[in-house]
Amino acid sequence: FNWKYDGKGYGALGGQKRFVSDSISSSATFSEAGETEISLYLPTNASITEAQIDLTGLPYGSGELDEYLLASVNTNEGSRSYEASLSMFGDDYYTLWMDDGDLDTMVRLDDNLIFRSYTSDNWNDEILIKDTIDNEQLLSPTVSATENIVVALWIKDVGSESFEMTYSSDNGQNWEANTDINLATDHYILYDMDMIVDSSDDIHVVWSSLETSSTEEDYQIFYSKSTDNGNTWTSEIMLSESDSSSSISPKIDHDDGKIHVAWEEFDDVNGYYQTQYSMSNNNGDSFSSSDKLSSSNSVLDVTVTASGDDVLVGWAESDSSSSQINVKSRSSSNSGSSFNL
């Protein structure tokens, strides 16, 4: 009576994928020697003729955490650090954050952009990347690094928004002059963005904005890339559907010539944000139609990561029945062509 062939079952006959808990995964925790039972539902009177078990796990911890590594610095005995971005290449770390002062003095509403790297097992001195001027605001600072280049990109707001960037070819020790880049020049209200540099040192950018030529008042998700350190950019591609409601907070990752993008998109019929995903298998030349991955609850803080053919999209989702926020994810083992339930 626990077996169903229609509706909510436990997988096709011979392809059961759900545990007794109705989950597609199960875990056990052992603080000491012991045993636990993890069960799959099978059809009545079934005989198992072949089986395979794959186990992965982590050693049971003591509950104590390592000492944190403080990347930001107190630049003037009272500064506040926020909007941090982190990139890792091998054992090296590269951080970028906003600071509400500069390295010597604090000026109210004069927030600046600071970079710091962790290489050869040491934190290097901080570098002032951007010293803002009056009435200038920086948004969405992002850093990404490869073996050959470290790129810092951000949105600059001086009454109208534009993209500004710089890069380092010597592991973050010295930086090129900050440059306005020719991207989204026919857009306005650049809401937010994300950026990644791939193994060929191509720079991939996704952002949310309004098009000047459009009569719609909904934000859309756009993509472009540069193969020459930001000097020129490809024609932008709109990833969200042109007739969709506002889409914001895009996140991007890459692996082996494949680009993966996830974002939050508002469903104006049902009144909630949903997780949307799109991918490119030709290094950003074209993208698939977007797919909804979340359920009927509103989402926030969407993210995506990829390794080979494995893609993981995660988000925070409100639980309408309990008013709690849960962290959820869906994974793909075929480069985003399909996702598990």
Side-chain angles (χ1 to χ4, degrees), residues 57-326:
L58 298 172
Y60 186 82
S62 64
E64 297 179 0
L65 299 176
D66 294 337
E67 291 293 325
Y68 67 86
L69 300 178
L70 183 62
S72 62
V73 291
N74 189 356
T75 58
N76 46 41
E77 300 303 323
S79 66
R80 178 176 65 96
S81 301
Y82 63 100
E83 282 204 54
S85 176
L86 170 70
S87 180
M88 180 180 69
F89 187 82
D91 293 328
D92 295 334
Y93 297 84
Y94 305 89
T95 60
L96 186 72
W97 71 90
M98 296 296 301
D99 184 276
D100 64 354
D102 60 28
L103 301 182
D104 299 311
T105 62
M106 177 181 287
V107 179
R108 181 171 173 79
L109 300 179
D110 185 15
D111 296 1
N112 298 284
L113 197 56
I114 297 178
F115 168 84
R116 197 180 186 195
S117 61
Y118 180 84
T119 59
S120 301
D121 298 325
N122 288 295
W123 283 106
N124 302 307
D125 291 339
E126 62 276 5
I127 297 175
L128 184 63
I129 295 292
K130 172 75 174 180
D131 187 358
T132 57
I133 61 177
D134 290 343
N135 300 317
E136 185 178 58
Q137 184 180 9
L138 308 184
L139 307 169
S140 300
T142 308
V143 64
S144 184
T146 68
E147 183 179 9
N148 303 312
I149 190 173
V150 184
V151 177
L153 180 70
W154 58 92
I155 296 172
K156 179 177 66 174
D157 185 353
V158 290
S160 61
E161 298 85 11
S162 62
F163 286 107
E164 192 172 36
M165 67 165 284
T166 181
Y167 68 92
S168 168
S169 300
D170 58 4
N171 216 29
Q173 298 181 50
N174 298 282
W175 292 79
E176 300 293 324
N178 297 333
T179 305
D180 286 310
I181 60 177
N182 187 27
L183 192 61
T185 54
D186 59 347
H187 293 223
Y188 68 103
I189 310 184
L190 301 180
Y191 189 82
D192 50 18
M193 69 91 183
D194 194 22
M195 177 268 297
I196 195 80
V197 183
D198 66 22
S199 55
S200 299
D201 299 331
D202 295 342
I203 307 171
H204 303 265
V205 179
V206 287
W207 71 92
S208 173
S209 65
L210 298 172
E211 289 185 291
T212 305
S213 59
S214 176
T215 58
E216 300 293 333
E217 296 182 354
D218 293 317
Y219 293 91
Q220 302 295 345
I221 304 299
F222 300 90
Y223 163 87
S224 183
K225 72 175 177 179
S226 173
T227 59
D228 56 6
N229 296 337
N231 290 316
T232 60
W233 295 84
T234 60
S235 299
E236 63 195 37
I237 300 175
M238 183 187 294
L239 304 187
S240 51
E241 301 296 334
S242 58
D243 59 349
S244 63
S245 295
S246 281
S247 298
I248 59 173
S249 303
K251 296 296 180 183
I252 188 171
D253 201 11
H254 77 92
D255 195 85
D256 193 27
K258 300 180 179 67
I259 309 299
H260 306 273
V261 182
W263 66 89
E264 303 167 32
E265 183 173 291
F266 189 69
D267 181 342
D268 56 357
V269 175
N270 296 297
Y272 59 78
Y273 277 94
Q274 56 192 1
T275 301
Q276 291 285 341
Y277 165 85
S278 179
M279 68 85 62
S280 169
N281 57 15
N282 53 18
N283 203 39
D285 291 340
S286 61
F287 280 81
S288 65
S289 299
S290 61
D291 290 325
K292 176 186 175 182
L293 299 185
S294 56
S295 63
S296 58
N297 292 322
S298 191
V299 306
L300 67 159
D301 294 331
V302 172
T303 190
V304 61
T305 185
S307 177
D309 292 334
D310 296 325
V311 184
L312 185 67
V313 179
W315 62 89
E317 181 176 303
S318 62
D319 187 335
S320 56
S321 61
S322 65
S323 300
Q324 293 182 339
I325 301 295
N326 300 315

Side-chain angles (χ1 to χ4, degrees), residues 322-334:
S322 65
S323 300
Q324 293 182 339
I325 301 295
N326 300 315
V327 175
K328 294 188 176 183
S329 67
R330 291 182 66 180
S331 62
S332 169
S333 58
N334 54 15

